[in-house]
Amino acid sequence: MTALGHPRARWRDAAWPVWLTVLPAAVTSALILWEHYADVTWGMALVAQDERIQFMGACAGAAGALLGLVIATIAILLALPDGPSMSLLRTYSGWRVLEYVLLAVSLDLLILLTASLVAILSPDRAVASIVTVYAPSCVLALAIAGLLFALVLLNVEHDRSGTHDSTPSS
């Protein structure tokens, strides 16, 4: 056991972001290899070039805006002053997971933004595959981050009101 806690506990906190970044990368790699060796076309590569460029531009715009929002959220959460309520908030294990997930979301959005911009300039099918996989991955990662943030705030509200009962009220 280290001063930072049990190694398994640290891995458990970091497991979600690892899956949110590694799984889309593994799926993308497998699909690119499958597409190359089986000589098939799927996903955004099936769409006409003009429509694909419009979609990639929309993806790049949305990914850029969401990346800015996630970076601003991380900056605000890190800049909150230390106080009794912030100390309590930072003791929740969900808080650490939230920080890790926000970092994973920012990485996924950066990959989506870069791939979308490259796909506009390059007709390569592999880049279109990256966008096809990372767009839903980013939506999933954002949803998980939002749920974690809501759960952390719900825990704070429960502590504030003094209700620690886990049974639902009727």
Side-chain angles (χ1 to χ4, degrees):
M1 198 132 119
T2 64
L4 296 174
H6 194 274
R8 274 192 158 167
R10 284 196 313 267
W11 168 247
R12 189 175 50 240
D13 291 346
W16 276 103
V18 167
W19 284 111
L20 290 175
T21 54
V22 170
L23 189 61
V27 169
T28 302
S29 301
L31 289 173
I32 289 171
L33 288 173
W34 171 67
E35 190 175 40
H36 176 71
Y37 288 115
D39 197 27
V40 295
T41 304
W42 73 281
M44 287 306 300
L46 294 173
V47 179
Q49 181 67 17
D50 291 341
E51 292 173 0
R52 187 178 341 153
I53 289 174
Q54 290 173 354
F55 178 77
M56 297 299 174
C59 275
L66 289 171
L67 181 60
L69 180 68
V70 170
I71 290 173
T73 302
I74 292 171
I76 290 169
L77 291 177
L78 292 176
L80 288 172
D82 286 336
S85 60
M86 278 310 298
S87 296
L88 175 66
L89 187 62
R90 289 183 176 133
T91 61
Y92 295 122
S93 62
W95 179 263
R96 288 188 307 274
V97 175
L98 176 64
E99 290 175 337
Y100 289 134
V101 168
L102 285 172
L103 290 173
V105 168
S106 63
L107 178 63
D108 283 351
L109 286 169
L110 182 62
I111 291 170
L112 179 62
L113 174 63
T114 305
S116 297
L117 292 174
V118 170
I120 290 172
L121 301 173
S122 169
D124 189 21
R125 293 185 331 195
V127 180
S129 297
I130 293 171
V131 174
T132 304
V133 173
Y134 269 91
S137 167
C138 288
V139 171
L140 176 66
L142 283 167
I144 290 172
L147 287 172
L148 279 171
F149 195 70
L151 287 173
V152 167
L153 292 179
L154 185 65
N155 281 336
V156 169
E157 187 60 34
H158 279 267
D159 283 350
R160 205 178 274 167
S161 65
T163 57
H164 297 288
D165 188 20
S166 63
T167 59
S169 59
S170 46

